Amino acid sequence: MGFVRKTITFTEQQDSWIKTQIITGHYSSYSEFICALIVREQERYAGLVAVSAALVSGEISGDPKYFDAEVFKQNISATHHLNKLEDFEFNAIADARANQAVIKVSLDDL
């Protein structure tokens, strides 16, 4: 991969902060700092695109199914042997979401 030289301008405050990052060993140079920012932004953007695509997929998948708190409680109790505190926490979660629309997004979509 080739490199391209660019000239950029920082405020004094930004320059001071970047210098501190370099002095404290977070980065070895201005170039490394800027490259890290670009990589982070590329990753953030890719994540936004993936979430957006998953939301669109969910929207076009049809009408939402509504959360059934009792079915949730039964499924959790059947698949996990929960102690009383956990039972209480899951009941509270289930009751709080009763009759809310459920959006199903697969982690594979993200």
Side-chain angles (χ1 to χ4, degrees), residues 37-58:
L37 288 178
I38 292 169
V39 167
R40 191 173 354 169
E41 180 61 17
Q42 288 171 328
E43 290 170 348
R44 187 189 73 80
Y45 181 75
L48 290 174
V49 168
V51 168
S52 178
L55 289 171
V56 169
S57 175

Side-chain angles (χ1 to χ4, degrees), residues 78-109:
T79 56
H80 303 286
H81 300 288
L82 303 174
N83 65 37
K84 294 298 178 191
L85 177 61
E86 290 172 325
D87 287 342
F88 175 76
E89 291 171 352
F90 276 113
N91 286 333
I93 291 168
D95 290 341
R97 288 169 173 75
N99 299 318
Q100 290 183 358
V102 175
I103 298 172
K104 183 178 179 183
V105 176
S106 169
L107 291 179
D108 294 334
D109 294 337

Side-chain angles (χ1 to χ4, degrees), residues 15 23 54 61 68 84-85 110:
D15 185 54
I23 290 168
S61 69
D68 186 326
K84 294 298 178 191
L85 177 61
L110 299 178

